[in-house]
Amino acid sequence: MRILVCVKQVPDTSEVKIDPVKHTLIREGVPSILNPDDANALEAALQIKDKNPDTIVDVISMGPPQAKLMLRECLAMGADNAFLLSDRAFGGADTISTSRTIAYGIKKLGNVDIVFAGRQAIDGDTAQVGPQIAFRLELPVVTYVQNIREVKENSIIVERQLEDGFEVVEVQKPCLLTAVKELNEPRFMSIGRIVGAFDTEITVYNHEDIDLDQELCGLKASPTKVYRSFTPEPKGKGEMLTGTINDMAHTVVEKLKEEHLV
Ligand SMILES: Cc1cc2nc3c(=O)[nH]c(=O)nc-3n(C[C@H](O)[C@H](O)[C@H](O)COP(=O)(O)OP(=O)(O)OC[C@H]3O[C@@H](n4cnc5c(N)ncnc54)[C@H](O)[C@@H]3O)c2cc1C
């Protein structure tokens, strides 16, 4: 069985800061990490490999050359091979362009039984890329996977998270699954593998390598235009109440009365 995990390098912050003038993400001074949901996706793939040792787990990313470091982390966690889709032509991609490039990259790699993605990336938060890759590869997709119950010869049984519970879905392979954080606890990099990860060659593909027309990559092929991004102004300073619940409830009522709100 071959499993491919889509992994994205993201700034290490849940609070993305926007440059007020250029309206772009401020990346300076913010270290980059493996997107958290993608770590869960990789862990799920590695757990399948733990039970089925002949499984190959590969990781693929689209990003600038520095994404290699994050890919080496994935190798140190247990991935077998890492692929980086990197080309100036890929820059400025929206989700349509991103998913097209990744889908072409996956086609280049050949047969895959399960493609994993995270539910969403913390710097974009669109949660669109996984399902879009599935659409382009004509694969069935299950989003919000919170548990993998059984991997069978031709299908896989998973729990799909809902707001107030979950549903059990059996999906035929090949398929694409998107992982949520409840799926598992990602393992640490193994010390033994860290050294090997730095010796492992990371395969880099540009648009020609994956047979993708330059006009269909990056900004040029991105219909989404973000006209303005901003961080909301902080609201006034809050006041923390102390004391028993009754004391605090009494204080809140008094304050609401003072403001003539009750
Ligand atoms: C402020 C801001 C607003 C934006 N608004 C929009 C918008 O409205 N519409 C739009 O189309 N784009 C928008 N973009 C661009 C968008 O963030 C990028 O296109 C981004 O690459 C899309 O992925 P995402 O982070 O939303 O991924 P998500 O769809 O949230 O990611 C889901 C999963 O897909 C996989 N994945 C995503 N990107 C990669 C990658 N590069 N390599 C490997 N795997 C990957 C990962 O497994 C990830 O967990 C915006 C960007 C910014 C900075």
Side-chain angles (χ1 to χ4, degrees), residues 89-153:
F90 298 156
D94 68 359
T95 59
I96 286 186
S97 203
T98 301
S99 61
R100 183 186 291 116
T101 303
I102 295 173
Y104 271 70
I106 294 175
K107 277 189 204 153
K108 164 91 182 174
L109 300 182
N111 288 345
V112 178
D113 298 282
I114 305 172
V115 179
F116 270 105
R119 176 191 57 158
Q120 65 184 42
I122 57 172
D123 64 341
D125 272 349
T126 65
Q128 292 170 359
V129 171
Q132 286 179 5
I133 295 172
F135 169 76
R136 291 180 188 287
L137 296 175
E138 297 187 20
L139 295 178
V141 56
V142 184
T143 51
Y144 291 78
V145 171
Q146 66 164 22
N147 188 26
I148 293 175
R149 288 198 172 184
E150 193 182 350
V151 181
K152 298 185 181 178
E153 179 72 22

Side-chain angles (χ1 to χ4, degrees), residues 56-113:
I56 305 278
V57 174
D58 293 343
V59 285
I60 187 167
S61 189
M62 183 192 87
Q66 57 264 35
K68 277 187 179 175
L69 189 61
M70 177 255 330
L71 288 171
R72 292 198 193 283
E73 278 177 32
C74 298
L75 292 168
M77 281 173 72
D80 294 295
N81 306 290
F83 300 89
L84 178 62
L85 307 170
S86 198
D87 191 321
R88 284 207 173 272
F90 298 156
D94 68 359
T95 59
I96 286 186
S97 203
T98 301
S99 61
R100 183 186 291 116
T101 303
I102 295 173
Y104 271 70
I106 294 175
K107 277 189 204 153
K108 164 91 182 174
L109 300 182
N111 288 345
V112 178
D113 298 282

Side-chain angles (χ1 to χ4, degrees), residues 180-256:
V180 292
K181 66 174 187 307
E182 290 78 11
L183 180 56
N184 51 43
E185 192 63 46
R187 66 192 66 188
F188 291 109
M189 291 180 272
S190 99
I191 298 198
R193 291 194 64 101
I194 290 175
V195 179
F198 277 87
D199 291 337
T200 305
E201 184 78 22
I202 291 177
T203 309
V204 181
Y205 291 138
N206 63 22
H207 74 276
E208 284 169 344
D209 297 323
I210 58 171
D211 271 334
L212 179 59
D213 189 324
Q214 205 164 348
E215 296 302 309
L216 295 175
C217 306
L219 189 62
K220 278 187 193 163
S222 294
T224 314
K225 304 288 173 239
V226 179
Y227 286 109
R228 183 167 171 251
S229 306
F230 63 96
T231 310
E233 289 295 321
K235 295 190 182 138
K237 196 165 170 274
E239 183 186 342
M240 289 298 288
L241 301 179
T242 52
T244 65
I245 290 181
N246 280 345
D247 289 343
M248 291 189 283
H250 181 74
T251 311
V252 169
V253 171
E254 288 308 310
K255 285 183 181 292
L256 291 172

